[in-house]
mmCIF file with all atom_site columns, all heavy atoms in Angstrom:
data_model
loop_
_atom_site.group_PDB
_atom_site.id
_atom_site.type_symbol
_atom_site.label_atom_id
_atom_site.label_alt_id
_atom_site.label_comp_id
_atom_site.label_asym_id
_atom_site.label_entity_id
_atom_site.label_seq_id
_atom_site.pdbx_PDB_ins_code
_atom_site.Cartn_x
_atom_site.Cartn_y
_atom_site.Cartn_z
_atom_site.occupancy
_atom_site.B_iso_or_equiv
_atom_site.pdbx_formal_charge
_atom_site.auth_seq_id
_atom_site.auth_comp_id
_atom_site.auth_asym_id
_atom_site.auth_atom_id
_atom_site.pdbx_PDB_model_num
ATOM 1  N N   . LEU A 1 23 ? 16.572 7.665  55.971 1.00 49.00 ? 46 LEU A N   1
ATOM 2  C CA  . LEU A 1 23 ? 15.862 6.881  56.968 1.00 49.00 ? 46 LEU A CA  1
ATOM 3  C C   . LEU A 1 23 ? 14.730 6.088  56.325 1.00 49.00 ? 46 LEU A C   1
ATOM 4  O O   . LEU A 1 23 ? 14.571 4.894  56.582 1.00 49.00 ? 46 LEU A O   1
ATOM 5  C CB  . LEU A 1 23 ? 15.303 7.794  58.068 1.00 49.00 ? 46 LEU A CB  1
ATOM 6  C CG  . LEU A 1 23 ? 14.559 7.091  59.222 1.00 49.00 ? 46 LEU A CG  1
ATOM 7  C CD1 . LEU A 1 23 ? 15.500 6.122  59.927 1.00 49.00 ? 46 LEU A CD1 1
ATOM 8  C CD2 . LEU A 1 23 ? 14.012 8.129  60.198 1.00 49.00 ? 46 LEU A CD2 1
ATOM 9  N N   . ASP A 1 24 ? 13.952 6.745  55.461 1.00 51.00 ? 47 ASP A N   1
ATOM 10 C CA  . ASP A 1 24 ? 12.883 6.037  54.750 1.00 51.00 ? 47 ASP A CA  1
ATOM 11 C C   . ASP A 1 24 ? 13.455 4.935  53.876 1.00 51.00 ? 47 ASP A C   1
ATOM 12 O O   . ASP A 1 24 ? 12.916 3.834  53.799 1.00 51.00 ? 47 ASP A O   1
ATOM 13 C CB  . ASP A 1 24 ? 12.082 7.016  53.873 1.00 51.00 ? 47 ASP A CB  1
ATOM 14 C CG  . ASP A 1 24 ? 11.181 7.909  54.708 1.00 51.00 ? 47 ASP A CG  1
ATOM 15 O OD1 . ASP A 1 24 ? 10.834 7.495  55.828 1.00 51.00 ? 47 ASP A OD1 1
ATOM 16 O OD2 . ASP A 1 24 ? 10.839 9.001  54.235 1.00 51.00 ? 47 ASP A OD2 1
ATOM 17 N N   . LYS A 1 25 ? 14.558 5.250  53.220 1.00 54.00 ? 48 LYS A N   1
ATOM 18 C CA  . LYS A 1 25 ? 15.169 4.280  52.312 1.00 54.00 ? 48 LYS A CA  1
ATOM 19 C C   . LYS A 1 25 ? 15.641 3.049  53.066 1.00 54.00 ? 48 LYS A C   1
ATOM 20 O O   . LYS A 1 25 ? 15.464 1.913  52.632 1.00 54.00 ? 48 LYS A O   1
ATOM 21 C CB  . LYS A 1 25 ? 16.330 4.935  51.561 1.00 54.00 ? 48 LYS A CB  1
ATOM 22 C CG  . LYS A 1 25 ? 16.980 4.026  50.540 1.00 54.00 ? 48 LYS A CG  1
ATOM 23 C CD  . LYS A 1 25 ? 17.974 4.800  49.684 1.00 54.00 ? 48 LYS A CD  1
ATOM 24 C CE  . LYS A 1 25 ? 19.085 5.410  50.492 1.00 54.00 ? 48 LYS A CE  1
ATOM 25 N NZ  . LYS A 1 25 ? 20.121 6.042  49.652 1.00 54.00 ? 48 LYS A NZ  1
ATOM 26 N N   . ALA A 1 26 ? 16.241 3.267  54.251 1.00 49.00 ? 49 ALA A N   1
ATOM 27 C CA  . ALA A 1 26 ? 16.776 2.154  55.024 1.00 49.00 ? 49 ALA A CA  1
ATOM 28 C C   . ALA A 1 26 ? 15.676 1.269  55.593 1.00 49.00 ? 49 ALA A C   1
ATOM 29 O O   . ALA A 1 26 ? 15.797 0.050  55.659 1.00 49.00 ? 49 ALA A O   1
ATOM 30 C CB  . ALA A 1 26 ? 17.658 2.690  56.156 1.00 49.00 ? 49 ALA A CB  1
ATOM 31 N N   . GLN A 1 27 ? 14.564 1.876  55.978 1.00 51.00 ? 50 GLN A N   1
ATOM 32 C CA  . GLN A 1 27 ? 13.497 1.119  56.630 1.00 51.00 ? 50 GLN A CA  1
ATOM 33 C C   . GLN A 1 27 ? 12.576 0.417  55.634 1.00 51.00 ? 50 GLN A C   1
ATOM 34 O O   . GLN A 1 27 ? 11.954 -0.587 55.970 1.00 51.00 ? 50 GLN A O   1
ATOM 35 C CB  . GLN A 1 27 ? 12.672 2.057  57.524 1.00 51.00 ? 50 GLN A CB  1
ATOM 36 C CG  . GLN A 1 27 ? 13.428 2.559  58.739 1.00 51.00 ? 50 GLN A CG  1
ATOM 37 C CD  . GLN A 1 27 ? 12.575 3.474  59.600 1.00 51.00 ? 50 GLN A CD  1
ATOM 38 O OE1 . GLN A 1 27 ? 11.566 3.998  59.151 1.00 51.00 ? 50 GLN A OE1 1
ATOM 39 N NE2 . GLN A 1 27 ? 12.984 3.664  60.839 1.00 51.00 ? 50 GLN A NE2 1
ATOM 40 N N   . ASN A 1 28 ? 12.462 0.966  54.434 1.00 55.00 ? 51 ASN A N   1
ATOM 41 C CA  . ASN A 1 28 ? 11.437 0.477  53.513 1.00 55.00 ? 51 ASN A CA  1
ATOM 42 C C   . ASN A 1 28 ? 11.968 -0.130 52.227 1.00 55.00 ? 51 ASN A C   1
ATOM 43 O O   . ASN A 1 28 ? 11.220 -0.770 51.508 1.00 55.00 ? 51 ASN A O   1
ATOM 44 C CB  . ASN A 1 28 ? 10.484 1.623  53.141 1.00 55.00 ? 51 ASN A CB  1
ATOM 45 C CG  . ASN A 1 28 ? 9.719  2.131  54.342 1.00 55.00 ? 51 ASN A CG  1
ATOM 46 O OD1 . ASN A 1 28 ? 8.801  1.490  54.811 1.00 55.00 ? 51 ASN A OD1 1
ATOM 47 N ND2 . ASN A 1 28 ? 10.115 3.295  54.841 1.00 55.00 ? 51 ASN A ND2 1
ATOM 48 N N   . ASN A 1 29 ? 13.217 0.081  51.904 1.00 61.00 ? 52 ASN A N   1
ATOM 49 C CA  . ASN A 1 29 ? 13.754 -0.446 50.654 1.00 61.00 ? 52 ASN A CA  1
ATOM 50 C C   . ASN A 1 29 ? 13.731 -1.981 50.693 1.00 61.00 ? 52 ASN A C   1
ATOM 51 O O   . ASN A 1 29 ? 14.105 -2.568 51.708 1.00 61.00 ? 52 ASN A O   1
ATOM 52 C CB  . ASN A 1 29 ? 15.201 0.060  50.477 1.00 61.00 ? 52 ASN A CB  1
ATOM 53 C CG  . ASN A 1 29 ? 15.685 -0.078 49.067 1.00 61.00 ? 52 ASN A CG  1
ATOM 54 O OD1 . ASN A 1 29 ? 14.953 0.183  48.131 1.00 61.00 ? 52 ASN A OD1 1
ATOM 55 N ND2 . ASN A 1 29 ? 16.928 -0.475 48.933 1.00 61.00 ? 52 ASN A ND2 1
ATOM 56 N N   . PRO A 1 30 ? 13.263 -2.712 49.640 1.00 65.00 ? 53 PRO A N   1
ATOM 57 C CA  . PRO A 1 30 ? 12.923 -2.177 48.318 1.00 65.00 ? 53 PRO A CA  1
ATOM 58 C C   . PRO A 1 30 ? 11.452 -1.803 48.138 1.00 65.00 ? 53 PRO A C   1
ATOM 59 O O   . PRO A 1 30 ? 11.053 -1.365 47.064 1.00 65.00 ? 53 PRO A O   1
ATOM 60 C CB  . PRO A 1 30 ? 13.273 -3.356 47.413 1.00 65.00 ? 53 PRO A CB  1
ATOM 61 C CG  . PRO A 1 30 ? 12.931 -4.551 48.254 1.00 65.00 ? 53 PRO A CG  1
ATOM 62 C CD  . PRO A 1 30 ? 13.303 -4.183 49.671 1.00 65.00 ? 53 PRO A CD  1
ATOM 63 N N   . LYS A 1 31 ? 10.609 -1.975 49.167 1.00 72.00 ? 54 LYS A N   1
ATOM 64 C CA  . LYS A 1 31 ? 9.193  -1.644 49.024 1.00 72.00 ? 54 LYS A CA  1
ATOM 65 C C   . LYS A 1 31 ? 9.006  -0.180 48.655 1.00 72.00 ? 54 LYS A C   1
ATOM 66 O O   . LYS A 1 31 ? 8.127  0.163  47.870 1.00 72.00 ? 54 LYS A O   1
ATOM 67 C CB  . LYS A 1 31 ? 8.452  -1.955 50.319 1.00 72.00 ? 54 LYS A CB  1
ATOM 68 C CG  . LYS A 1 31 ? 8.331  -3.442 50.638 1.00 72.00 ? 54 LYS A CG  1
ATOM 69 C CD  . LYS A 1 31 ? 7.522  -3.652 51.903 1.00 72.00 ? 54 LYS A CD  1
ATOM 70 C CE  . LYS A 1 31 ? 7.368  -5.138 52.210 1.00 72.00 ? 54 LYS A CE  1
ATOM 71 N NZ  . LYS A 1 31 ? 6.565  -5.366 53.443 1.00 72.00 ? 54 LYS A NZ  1
ATOM 72 N N   . LEU A 1 32 ? 9.822  0.682  49.246 1.00 69.00 ? 55 LEU A N   1
ATOM 73 C CA  . LEU A 1 32 ? 9.715  2.106  48.962 1.00 69.00 ? 55 LEU A CA  1
ATOM 74 C C   . LEU A 1 32 ? 9.958  2.387  47.489 1.00 69.00 ? 55 LEU A C   1
ATOM 75 O O   . LEU A 1 32 ? 9.212  3.117  46.840 1.00 69.00 ? 55 LEU A O   1
ATOM 76 C CB  . LEU A 1 32 ? 10.694 2.893  49.825 1.00 69.00 ? 55 LEU A CB  1
ATOM 77 C CG  . LEU A 1 32 ? 10.767 4.398  49.556 1.00 69.00 ? 55 LEU A CG  1
ATOM 78 C CD1 . LEU A 1 32 ? 9.455  5.062  49.920 1.00 69.00 ? 55 LEU A CD1 1
ATOM 79 C CD2 . LEU A 1 32 ? 11.918 5.026  50.333 1.00 69.00 ? 55 LEU A CD2 1
ATOM 80 N N   . MET A 1 33 ? 11.025 1.799  46.933 1.00 68.00 ? 56 MET A N   1
ATOM 81 C CA  . MET A 1 33 ? 11.367 2.042  45.536 1.00 68.00 ? 56 MET A CA  1
ATOM 82 C C   . MET A 1 33 ? 10.282 1.510  44.599 1.00 68.00 ? 56 MET A C   1
ATOM 83 O O   . MET A 1 33 ? 9.976  2.124  43.572 1.00 68.00 ? 56 MET A O   1
ATOM 84 C CB  . MET A 1 33 ? 12.722 1.402  45.210 1.00 68.00 ? 56 MET A CB  1
ATOM 85 C CG  . MET A 1 33 ? 13.880 1.974  45.998 1.00 68.00 ? 56 MET A CG  1
ATOM 86 S SD  . MET A 1 33 ? 14.020 3.775  45.805 1.00 68.00 ? 56 MET A SD  1
ATOM 87 C CE  . MET A 1 33 ? 14.332 3.874  44.044 1.00 68.00 ? 56 MET A CE  1
ATOM 88 N N   . THR A 1 34 ? 9.696  0.373  44.963 1.00 74.00 ? 57 THR A N   1
ATOM 89 C CA  . THR A 1 34 ? 8.626  -0.186 44.140 1.00 74.00 ? 57 THR A CA  1
ATOM 90 C C   . THR A 1 34 ? 7.427  0.746  44.099 1.00 74.00 ? 57 THR A C   1
ATOM 91 O O   . THR A 1 34 ? 6.836  0.996  43.042 1.00 74.00 ? 57 THR A O   1
ATOM 92 C CB  . THR A 1 34 ? 8.199  -1.559 44.687 1.00 74.00 ? 57 THR A CB  1
ATOM 93 O OG1 . THR A 1 34 ? 9.316  -2.440 44.668 1.00 74.00 ? 57 THR A OG1 1
ATOM 94 C CG2 . THR A 1 34 ? 7.079  -2.152 43.838 1.00 74.00 ? 57 THR A CG2 1
#
Side-chain angles (χ1 to χ4, degrees):
L46 182 60
D47 287 336
K48 183 171 60 174
Q50 291 180 342
N51 296 285
N52 197 41
K54 291 183 179 181
L55 176 66
M56 297 304 298
T57 300

